[in-house]
Amino acid sequence: MNLFNDSPHSAPAFKIEYKDEKACEQLSHHLMRRFLSKPLNQEIVILCIGTDRSTGDSLGPIVGTKLQSYCPKYLHIYGTLEDPVHAVNLADKIDHISRIHKDSLIIAVDACLGQFSNVGSIQVVDGPLKPGAGVKKDLPAVGTFHITGIVNVGGFMEYFVLQNTRLFVVMQMAEVIATGLYLASLQLHHGNTASSPYPSFSTEMPSV
């Protein structure tokens, strides 16, 4: 679980409310542009961090589970409800990814605490994620860039806040993130970027 820095010097490259009716389209469009700028043969790894033992911290593994259910051909997914990536095994997972997917584009996904006004925001930020910062854990940073969802308010009794985060909010944010990643990966390989400002939503997606 990460802690969002609300200072203007750490402004996210992309930010949107999960309730926005165009959240999936806009997130996928932003991610698609990032994917298009990577080397053609570079693998894309989605590292979803968190645990299902805490409602607020379950955003990552729920994203991983939803994304895995779509059976994406072009994404390598680590961190699901069945096989979560958390504080205990994070370093080993990073080492495994570095050996199996050398020089890959790694997108870290994690829950985040922040100011009340930012709860419900999904953000994409350049550079590695520092997981565990919100609960004072010293864990290795990871990610070419990272996606975080601000699930609740930070600054006081973080463990208690995470345990009392609404699952509905986490599920809705996870749906937006997983859908955005999936559609961006499809558009990258289907080459339809010139026909529409946003990825097409005509593709049938399995329900979760």
Side-chain angles (χ1 to χ4, degrees), residues 105-120:
L105 172 66
I106 300 176
I107 305 170
V109 180
D110 197 6
C112 185
L113 296 178
Q115 291 184 354
F116 178 79
S117 59
N118 287 317
V119 173

Side-chain angles (χ1 to χ4, degrees), residues 49-113:
I49 302 169
T51 174
D52 59 349
R53 295 178 182 272
S54 170
T55 306
D57 204 21
S58 65
L59 177 70
I62 293 175
V63 169
T65 298
K66 287 178 175 288
L67 194 54
Q68 189 179 68
S69 74
Y70 301 155
C71 302
K73 297 179 181 178
Y74 313 111
L75 303 175
H76 301 279
I77 303 161
Y78 291 87
T80 63
L81 291 171
E82 180 180 10
D83 184 20
V85 175
H86 43 63
V88 176
N89 64 3
L90 177 61
D92 289 338
K93 290 291 186 181
I94 293 173
D95 180 64
H96 173 80
I97 290 169
S98 67
R99 289 185 286 105
I100 302 299
H101 309 284
K102 293 183 178 179
D103 301 317
S104 59
L105 172 66
I106 300 176
I107 305 170
V109 180
D110 197 6
C112 185
L113 296 178

